[in-house]
Amino acid sequence: MGSNTDQDGAHDVGAAYIGASTYKRTAADELTDINQFKENLAKAAFEDWPNEAGFDGLTEHRGPIELRVKGSIPAWAAGSLYRTGPGACSVEGTKAGTFHISHWFDGLAHTHRFDILAADNDGPANNGKVRVVYSSRRQSDTFMQTIKDTGCMPAKSFAQRSDPCVGMFGKFMAMYQRRGQLYTNIGVTVNANPTAFRGITDPDRGSSQGHRAGASSLFIGSDLPLFAQADARSMEVKAYVPYSKLHPELIGPAGPAHGMQDPETGDYFSFNLEMGSACIYRVFQVSAGTGKATILASIHSKAAYIHSFFLSKNYVILCVPVSHYQWNGAKVVWKGSLLEAIAPFDKSEKCHWFIVDRRHGKGANAFEDDETGDVICEVIQYSSSNILQGFYYDVLLQRNNKAREFWCDRPTSDFVPELVRYRFPVADFHSSIESEDSKLPTPAVVLKVAAPHIGELPTMNPTFACRKHRYTYCLAHRGLSTMFDGIIKVDCETKEVLIWSGPRGHTPSEAIFVPRPSEEDRKPADEDDGVLLSVVLDGVNKTSYLLCFDAKTMTELGRAECEFAVAFTLHGQHVKGGGTSGL
C-alpha cells in the first residue's frame, strides 16, 4: 500500500512526501521535532499543502455509492462509520449574492456514512473482500434557506463575523429577532443508539433499508442544548430535541457537544449552562433504564465556553477553563457569536475543577486509580484560547495572507497543544460543591507530552472508557498544513509515538478505533489490538478515501476510494453491524 515503517525514527518531517510512511519518535526527540515544527511554520510550508477541496464545492451524495476497495479491510470491522461536521462554507442565491461563512465551526452541517459490509450468503462476495458503500446528507437545508431569504446568519453562531455595514440599530433588532429562533445547523458529534434516549426515539426511523446496519437511532449534537434527531439510514433530520425535553430545568442556552455514556449502564451524562445574573452549570444524568433525567449537581461558576468534560467510574468531572463569556454570557446574545463574546485571555485566571459523585448522590469538589481511588483526567490543553482564531476560513484557505499572519506572526506557544494527565487525590475531595467556601481541588500533573508529538481530536479504544488506558490517538500538526498532516499514536507509559504521515496534501480526519473482537469474550486481547478508521482528503486530486490501518503498527491495511471530495468533519462514531443484502 506504499507504506513503510521507520522504527529507528530517522525521518525528515519537513520533506514533501512521495508516499505514505510510518515512523517512531521518543521523548528524547521532542525538542528536535518542536524546532522542526517551528521551522516549517517560519517558512510557511503549509502553502504547499492544498486543503480547498475539503471546504468548498461540496455536495450531497445520498447514494448509496459503492466505493473501490484496495488492500484489506477486516470483516470484523463491519458496521457503519458515521462522520459529521461542517460542509460547504458559502450559500449561493441570496439577495446580495453569495453569502460567505466566516468560521469552520459554522460551516453547513453535513453527515456522512461509510458502511463496511462483510460478505454473506445474501450478497455478492466481492472476491472475498468486504464492500464499502458511502452516502451523505446535509442537516442544514432550513438553515441555508433562511440565509437565502435574509442574507444573514440566523440565530447565534459560533464565530460568524459581524457585517460592518450593520449599525447599532441593526444589531439591536437582530438581538431580539434571534430570541425564539431555532438553530438548525447541528453537526458536531454523533450519538448513535443512545440507550438513554429510548423514550424520545421512534424505533421505525432507524429501520434498515438495503442492508443490515448497526444503528437504529441517530442524535447529532453541538455546543447548543439541542439534538438533531435523524433517521439512521437516510440521515434526514426528523425532529429537534432540546435539553428541556429531558428535564424542565435544563433551559440554559449552552451545553457541551460531547455528552458521555456510561459503558456499563448506558446512562447518559452532560450539563446545561444557564447564563445571566447567576451562572449555573446543571450536571445531569439520563437513565438508560427509565429515560428519566436527574440533576446531579448545580454548580455556580463563571460562564465559559466548554466543549467537553470527563466521566470516570464514580464521578463526573467538570473543568471550567479560562474561556469566559463577557457580561455573564449576555454578550453572546448581543454579538450573536460565541467566539466574539469570549473575554480576552487572562493569564492570571485559573481553571476551576468540580468533581461530582454520580454513584452515591454526594457532590465533591476520568479514570480512577485502582489502588488509591484517585481521579485521573487526560486532556489536550493550550496556553490560551487563541487557537480558535485559527479555524476562520481565511486562515484555513490561506486567503489574503491570513494563514501567514496567524501561524507565522505570533508566538508558537499560542497554538501548540499538550497532552496532560492530572491526578486528583481522593483525600482532597469535598462532600459538597454547593458551598462557596469549599476549596476547589488542585490537581498534580503526572504526564505531559508536547506537540508535535501530540495533536487534536484525541480518541482511544472505546472498550477502555472509564478505565486506565495506555494509548491515545490524535491528529498531528507539524506545520505542514493549515489543518492536520498526520495521525499519532501516543504511548502514555513510555512517551513514544508512532506517526502515520500521508503524501503531501493528504489530510486525515479524527481516527476512530474499532477493537478486534476475541473468540472468548468479544474483547480485544490488547488495548491497541484493532484498526483505526479515518477519512483522508487527497487535496491534490480533490478526492477522499476511507483509510483503515493497524492500530498497533500504524501502517495501512486498506482503503475505500471516493471519486469526489468528502468534507472535513469534526467527530464520528463506528457502530457494529452485520453483512450485506445488496444495495
Side-chain angles (χ1 to χ4, degrees):
M1 299 306 299
S3 298
N4 64 80
T5 303
D6 177 6
Q7 296 295 342
D8 294 325
H11 193 86
D12 179 9
V13 296
Y17 305 116
I18 297 175
S21 62
T22 302
Y23 62 98
K24 182 172 75 174
R25 304 296 275 171
T26 69
D29 300 312
E30 273 194 10
L31 182 58
T32 298
D33 293 344
I34 288 172
N35 289 333
Q36 180 67 68
F37 170 68
K38 293 179 180 179
E39 181 181 328
N40 291 338
L41 291 180
K43 65 184 182 183
F46 49 78
E47 291 186 339
D48 194 36
W49 191 286
N51 283 322
E52 291 80 2
F55 297 108
D56 213 355
L58 301 163
T59 59
E60 288 181 314
H61 296 276
R62 295 190 180 181
I65 298 171
E66 183 118 16
L67 305 183
R68 180 173 61 176
V69 177
K70 290 185 176 180
S72 176
I73 299 175
W76 50 259
S80 297
L81 174 67
Y82 288 95
R83 301 286 309 163
T84 195
C89 58
S90 61
V91 178
E92 306 285 345
T94 74
K95 295 178 181 179
T98 300
F99 179 87
H100 295 285
I101 297 171
S102 301
H103 198 278
W104 183 40
F105 294 176
D106 288 320
L108 301 173
H110 197 154
T111 301
H112 313 260
R113 194 182 73 246
F114 291 84
D115 293 320
I116 301 173
L117 309 173
D120 63 11
N121 295 330
D122 297 327
N126 193 28
N127 296 323
K129 298 181 179 180
V130 300
R131 297 165 56 222
V132 179
V133 295
Y134 167 82
S135 56
S136 75
R137 188 154 191 153
R138 285 193 304 262
Q139 279 73 44
S140 51
D141 285 349
T142 302
F143 187 80
M144 291 171 61
Q145 189 60 51
T146 302
I147 293 176
K148 289 181 180 180
D149 294 341
T150 65
C152 64
M153 182 80 78
K156 59 180 173 284
S157 67
F158 181 85
Q160 184 68 20
R161 287 198 169 104
S162 301
D163 187 341
C165 297
V166 176
M168 186 64 68
F169 180 73
K171 290 182 179 180
F172 183 79
M173 291 303 296
M175 178 176 69
Y176 283 95
Q177 289 170 356
R178 288 185 186 111
R179 293 191 178 190
Q181 278 188 298
L182 184 65
Y183 189 83
T184 57
N185 191 35
I186 307 295
V188 178
T189 55
V190 176
N191 303 273
N193 295 339
T195 52
F197 291 176
R198 287 174 180 166
I200 54 175
T201 301
D202 180 354
D204 293 334
R205 286 178 181 161
S207 59
S208 176
Q209 298 175 10
H211 73 87
R212 294 192 296 276
S216 59
S217 63
L218 192 68
F219 289 78
I220 303 169
S222 72
D223 289 315
L224 296 174
L226 179 73
F227 293 103
Q229 183 179 356
D231 184 286
R233 175 64 181 162
S234 70
M235 294 170 286
E236 178 185 6
V237 173
K238 298 296 185 181
Y240 291 95
V241 182
Y243 281 17
S244 58
K245 187 170 183 178
L246 302 174
H247 193 287
E249 292 183 33
L250 304 177
I251 57 174
H258 294 272
M260 300 289 181
Q261 183 168 292
D262 186 304
E264 296 179 358
T265 67
D267 290 359
Y268 181 86
F269 295 83
S270 191
F271 69 84
N272 178 238
L273 170 58
E274 182 176 343
M275 303 181 194
S277 57
C279 297
I280 304 173
Y281 295 86
R282 291 186 174 90
V283 180
F284 66 90
Q285 173 182 1
V286 183
S287 168
T290 65
K292 181 181 178 181
T294 303
I295 306 295
L296 298 177
S298 295
I299 301 170
H300 294 260
S301 188
K302 289 185 177 181
Y305 170 66
I306 305 176
H307 186 63
S308 60
F309 60 100
F310 306 89
L311 187 73
S312 72
K313 185 176 181 180
N314 290 295
Y315 304 100
V316 178
I317 305 100
L318 175 65
C319 176
V320 179
V322 187
S323 53
H324 301 141
Y325 293 124
Q326 299 179 77
W327 309 346
N328 289 341
K331 199 166 185 179
V332 174
V333 180
W334 177 253
K335 299 293 290 188
S337 163
L338 299 181
L339 187 54
E340 289 188 331
I342 294 176
F345 183 74
D346 184 349
K347 291 183 179 180
S348 68
E349 293 270 10
K350 294 183 179 180
C351 298
H352 286 186
W353 293 82
F354 300 91
I355 300 178
V356 179
D357 187 326
R358 68 181 180 91
R359 295 287 187 183
H360 311 104
K362 296 179 179 180
N365 209 53
F367 64 85
E368 299 167 29
D369 189 298
D370 291 336
E371 296 181 359
T372 66
D374 292 354
V375 173
I376 300 173
C377 295
E378 180 178 293
V379 63
I380 302 293
Q381 71 176 27
Y382 291 84
S383 63
S384 76
S385 57
N386 291 337
I387 185 62
L388 295 172
Q389 305 288 334
F391 295 108
Y392 277 108
Y393 283 115
D394 285 350
V395 176
L396 296 172
L397 297 175
Q398 306 171 46
R399 297 170 179 159
N400 304 316
N401 212 37
K402 292 299 182 182
R404 279 182 175 267
E405 289 180 13
F406 182 81
W407 292 110
C408 305
D409 297 346
R410 65 174 66 197
T412 307
S413 59
D414 273 7
F415 40 75
V416 175
E418 294 178 316
L419 181 145
V420 181
R421 278 188 178 177
Y422 290 105
R423 177 185 289 271
F424 294 87
V426 68
D428 291 348
F429 293 175
H430 292 267
S431 61
S432 174
I433 61 171
E434 297 293 342
S435 172
E436 295 183 359
D437 296 329
S438 293
K439 179 183 177 182
L440 296 174
T442 301
V445 175
V446 294
L447 173 72
K448 183 177 288 188
V449 181
H453 286 194
I454 194 65
E456 260 294 355
L457 301 177
T459 58
M460 56 177 283
N461 184 333
T463 64
F464 280 75
C466 297
R467 298 166 52 196
K468 182 178 181 180
H469 67 280
R470 177 173 179 175
Y471 302 107
T472 298
Y473 304 88
C474 56
L475 300 185
H477 181 215
R478 296 163 294 163
L480 301 176
S481 169
T482 57
M483 286 288 287
F484 309 110
D485 50 40
I487 302 176
I488 305 173
K489 175 186 180 181
V490 184
D491 187 327
C492 294
E493 291 185 3
T494 66
K495 296 180 70 171
E496 291 182 345
V497 297
L498 280 175
I499 302 176
W500 175 88
S501 177
R504 179 182 65 85
H506 286 232
T507 305
S509 69
E510 176 191 53
I512 302 297
F513 191 101
V514 182
R516 181 199 304 270
S518 70
E519 294 298 326
E520 297 178 1
D521 57 6
R522 306 301 292 173
K523 292 183 179 180
D526 300 314
E527 181 185 335
D528 60 349
D529 188 6
V531 296
L532 294 170
L533 301 176
S534 176
V535 181
V536 181
L537 173 76
D538 177 352
V540 176
N541 294 308
K542 299 183 178 181
T543 58
S544 296
Y545 55 93
L546 176 65
L547 176 67
C548 175
F549 51 101
D550 189 317
K552 279 185 178 289
T553 64
M554 297 294 288
T555 54
E556 181 175 343
L557 298 174
R559 62 175 65 182
E561 298 180 332
C562 304
E563 296 180 351
F564 44 84
V566 174
F568 287 127
T569 49
L570 288 166
H571 298 292
Q573 182 180 351
H574 177 269
V575 183
K576 287 284 189 180
T580 73
S581 57
L583 294 176

